[in-house]
Amino acid sequence: MAKPSKTRLLIVDDDPAHRNMLLTLLTDWGYRLEGVEDGESAVALCKERPFDLILMDVRMAGMSGIEA
């Protein structure tokens, strides 16, 4: 069992299967996670609270990972 981590990660991917796979894997490794499906939601969430690391898809509809 992974020991609890204070490291907060944000997963941003418009492909639900890929986003859920990363969330499942990294949760099992003990990270605190949140996941969203687009760049706009990621920017809004980052304005609310800080993250230690953001894993973001580059090509997404609307706001791309580069724009975000």
Side-chain angles (χ1 to χ4, degrees):
M1 173 165 240
K3 57 184 167 179
S5 174
K6 292 184 179 183
T7 305
R8 295 176 50 87
L9 278 67
L10 175 60
I11 308 299
V12 186
D13 198 319
D14 56 350
D15 178 349
H18 191 240
R19 186 176 62 249
N20 290 332
M21 181 271 304
L22 287 170
L23 288 168
T24 300
L25 177 67
L26 295 170
T27 297
D28 289 348
W29 289 357
Y31 292 104
R32 295 184 332 167
L33 299 166
E34 295 196 48
V36 295
E37 62 187 21
D38 57 48
E40 292 89 353
S41 298
V43 170
L45 201 53
C46 287
K47 288 180 180 181
E48 292 177 17
R49 55 188 163 274
F51 291 90
D52 298 300
L53 179 69
I54 300 171
L55 298 177
M56 184 176 300
D57 188 3
V58 174
R59 291 185 219 136
M60 294 182 287
M63 181 184 291
S64 74
I66 298 296
E67 291 174 293

